[in-house]
Amino acid sequence: MSVTFDLLGEVQVKVAGVPIDLGHARPRCVLAALLVEPNRPLPLDLLAERVWGERPPRQARNTLYGYLYRLRQAFAGLPGVVIDRTPAGYLLPVDESAVDVHRFRSLVRRSHTEDDSQALAMVEQALGLWHGRALGGVEGPWADAVRRTLEQERWSALLHRNDVLLRLGHHDALVAELSMLADENPLDERLAGQRVLALYRCGRLADALEHYEVVRRRLADELGADPGPQLRELHQHVLIGEPVAPAIPRSGTPTPRQLPAAPRLFVGRANELARMDKALASGADESPVLAIVGAAGTGKTTLALHWAHRAVDLFPDGQLHADLRGFDPAGPPVPPAVVVRGFLDALGVPAASVSADLDGQVALYRSLVAGKRMLVVLDNAGDTAHVLPLLPGSSTCTVLITSRHRLTGLTASHGVPTLALDVLSNSEARDLLIGHLAEPRIRAEPDAVADLLRSCAGLPLALAVVAARATLD
């Protein structure tokens, strides 16, 4: 009696291909949490965070016990499907090949080591495992983050499949699908290159050049950027009618220096800086990681960048930085897959050498930074799942995270300490306001200054905003 687990579509458990009843969405979320990282015990607090986010209800533990009981009842009689309670948390031992997510990843990973005909069969089999929106029927911040990552992996696998098809000479069969994909993803340069190449090989030179020009203008208009070197090189080959040359790896390994500029004004935070020095610059054997958490406007990013620039000499092998935009009202958070790909670019990895799947990219990223004295700053993390793929595996790397949430899952699963950032004291707030405004003006209008300080309640961001308005008045 075969038992399989589906996450690449509606979350389901199937016995001999027939779904069993799992109940409503929350038990399905618990099941998904146990399956996404298979054969790893999850503490109850981490399960609660994955089901409800950073603010679980008061009776979360009792409710979770009920969900786990519901799942155990559904699994009764299924051979080998048992949710165990261990000292480290709840565990669902499974054969990874029985979970479609891990089967998908394994097939894509193996496809990169086979000849093109076998690679094509493998990657098409992997893509065929998708039967809808990943983690279908499960909602919440954790599920959304996992879903974004899986969608990015699927997109990378699709682009890998396109490359294989083009190498096998199937440009005629592919050109119509590439046109549709390009309409849906107009800024993807790898896809643009595939379409230009397919059109060129089909004898449609004018269409190939036109598509390159459309992409070039769109990149300039929407991103203020030019096409990357590989797309530009392809364009040159098409112009002169030459075969497309293979990508040439960049020589040497660059030292990334990605830190944004240091804050112009910084006051106070002596205790916090001392704690950061102890946690991050003490040379401890364990991997130094710290999360600065606090409400919006308390100055988490400012503190992180001030410390990073002050300690930059400790990281001679480079500094990586990413704004994860976990709380940006203007758009969705940046997926970990996009951040990892950017880190690989900064580390000098040519696009042709990058694995199509996220697991392969993360493994390469961790291999490149292993043993190096590097700083990784992950700003505005939305939740624990947003951060986990971006953590280096080497104890020589230092990681500084900021978030509005407490990231209890990160503490529970990886023992990451947190630094809770409060508002500035009255004297610190006044010093910061003096930095923004001329001190004579501060002294000349003491009542107005007192009102400003009360209104801003010690929030550095609020002080900066009102000072800017006062400067304009």
Side-chain angles (χ1 to χ4, degrees), residues 306-322:
H306 177 80
W307 184 90
H309 280 278
R310 195 181 68 163
V312 73
D313 291 342
L314 298 175
F315 311 106
D317 295 318
Q319 306 89 42
L320 296 169
H321 175 276

Side-chain angles (χ1 to χ4, degrees), residues 47-367:
L47 273 176
E49 181 181 326
R50 293 188 173 183
V51 173
W52 289 288
E54 297 287 344
R55 296 184 177 180
R58 288 185 178 180
Q59 299 299 319
R61 283 177 171 263
N62 290 336
T63 305
L64 276 177
Y65 292 142
Y67 296 158
L68 290 162
Y69 175 78
R70 176 70 184 82
L71 290 172
R72 283 169 168 156
Q73 290 291 102
F75 297 157
L78 299 184
V81 184
V82 179
I83 299 177
D84 295 327
R85 183 175 183 178
T86 72
Y90 286 89
L91 172 69
L92 175 57
V94 293
D95 179 352
E96 291 190 22
S97 65
V99 185
D100 59 0
V101 165
H102 307 298
R103 214 158 57 247
F104 166 80
R105 288 171 170 168
S106 176
L107 285 165
V108 173
R109 186 163 51 246
R110 288 163 49 205
S111 74
H112 287 273
T113 65
E114 302 291 343
D115 63 68
D116 283 341
S117 59
Q118 290 180 310
L120 180 60
M122 285 182 174
V123 74
E124 287 188 333
Q125 183 183 350
L127 291 168
L129 294 172
W130 287 73
H131 50 278
R133 179 172 177 256
L135 271 60
V138 175
E139 303 300 333
W142 172 80
D144 289 341
V146 172
R147 189 178 293 115
R148 287 192 298 270
T149 298
L150 291 173
E151 290 292 348
Q152 182 62 39
E153 290 183 53
R154 180 180 181 275
W155 179 246
S156 296
L158 184 61
L159 294 178
H160 170 50
R161 185 213 63 171
N162 295 346
D163 283 337
V164 175
L165 284 169
L166 288 169
R167 287 197 298 268
L168 291 171
H170 298 320
H171 40 271
D172 288 307
L174 190 59
V175 70
E177 182 180 355
L178 289 174
S179 176
M180 179 188 67
L181 292 173
D183 290 340
E184 297 172 355
N185 303 272
L187 297 178
D188 191 300
E189 292 190 50
R190 184 177 174 189
L191 176 65
Q194 291 172 346
R195 189 179 180 207
V196 168
L197 181 58
L199 289 168
Y200 174 54
R201 287 182 174 174
C202 288
R204 297 168 57 181
L205 175 61
D207 290 338
L209 293 174
E210 181 185 3
H211 184 60
Y212 173 85
E213 185 61 24
V214 167
V215 173
R216 186 195 65 77
R217 287 198 304 266
R218 183 163 281 162
L219 287 169
D221 293 343
E222 298 188 26
L223 301 180
D226 293 323
Q230 286 188 314
L231 187 55
R232 293 200 307 271
E233 182 181 359
L234 172 62
H235 178 240
Q236 289 301 312
H237 284 293
V238 171
L239 278 174
I240 60 179
E242 287 187 351
V244 177
I248 301 174
R250 286 170 273 181
S251 60
T253 301
T255 300
R257 306 289 185 190
Q258 292 190 331
L259 288 180
R264 184 180 67 85
L265 295 174
F266 186 87
V267 300
R269 306 300 196 193
N271 292 336
E272 290 84 352
L273 288 169
R275 182 175 169 188
M276 293 173 72
D277 287 339
K278 183 177 180 181
L280 300 175
S282 60
D285 292 335
E286 65 273 10
S287 181
V289 184
L290 180 69
I292 304 174
V293 299
T298 50
K300 301 180 293 297
T301 298
T302 297
L303 176 60
L305 292 179
H306 177 80
W307 184 90
H309 280 278
R310 195 181 68 163
V312 73
D313 291 342
L314 298 175
F315 311 106
D317 295 318
Q319 306 89 42
L320 296 169
H321 175 276
D323 184 353
L324 303 181
R325 299 179 185 174
F327 309 94
D328 189 344
V334 180
V338 173
V339 177
V340 170
R341 191 64 189 84
F343 284 172
L344 292 176
D345 284 342
L347 293 166
V349 180
S353 302
V354 177
S355 171
D357 64 287
L358 178 62
D359 285 347
Q361 293 175 11
V362 169
L364 178 58
Y365 156 61
R366 289 172 176 163
S367 298

